[in-house]
Amino acid sequence: QVLLAESGGGLVQAGGSLTLSCVVSGSTFDVYSVGWFRQAPGKEREFVSAISWRGGSTNYADSVKGRFRISRDNFKNMMWLQMNSLKPEDTAVYYCVADPRNIVTIGGSFEYWGQGTQVTVSS
């Protein structure tokens, strides 16, 4: 069992920055891929970014490329999503995710999910 806990959400003005954090605990030796999804009001959950837990592979949704940066420190059992140049359409609940498979570049369905943290970008 892998447990995920996000933090760092909040209210920010358009053009601003925010960094989300995720603590990865439990059976971390089972983890291969970690990442972030988001869900805006009235919309389906969508893939944001992913990174391999012990390697360097990364993947980003086209909508966030060049603005968001994912990073992780598997010794500290932490993952981050640095979000710059935020837009109102980035408003969503952001979820930290993990999976034992190598699905970094696929961005498919992840097995483990956190509770989510709200990010609101005002115009």
Side-chain angles (χ1 to χ4, degrees):
Q1 181 75 11
V2 176
L3 302 175
L4 305 166
E6 311 92 337
S7 62
L11 175 64
V12 63
Q13 288 188 333
S17 298
L18 206 59
T19 298
L20 304 182
S21 301
C22 177
V23 177
V24 184
S25 61
S27 304
T28 58
F29 54 84
D30 283 341
V31 174
Y32 192 103
S33 306
V34 292
W36 297 89
F37 276 66
R38 67 185 181 186
Q39 186 169 21
K43 295 187 178 181
E44 295 185 353
R45 285 180 180 177
E46 64 172 350
F47 170 80
V48 175
S49 182
I51 187 169
S52 56
W53 187 232
R54 294 179 177 79
S57 299
T58 60
N59 188 21
Y60 295 92
D62 288 341
S63 59
V64 306
K65 276 182 183 176
R67 300 189 298 122
F68 289 12
R69 180 177 180 272
I70 191 171
S71 60
R72 58 76 189 123
D73 185 329
N74 54 302
F75 291 105
K76 294 182 179 179
N77 287 340
M78 292 286 297
M79 178 176 60
W80 300 272
L81 183 69
Q82 182 178 348
M83 306 183 293
N84 301 317
S85 302
L86 282 162
K87 305 175 182 180
E89 50 263 44
D90 293 319
T91 294
V93 176
Y94 283 71
Y95 297 90
C96 175
V97 296
D99 197 277
R101 300 165 296 170
N102 179 7
I103 55 174
V104 171
T105 57
I106 298 175
S109 179
F110 282 68
E111 182 171 351
Y112 302 105
W113 291 70
Q115 293 300 308
T117 185
Q118 176 70 47
V119 172
T120 303
V121 183
S122 63
S123 57

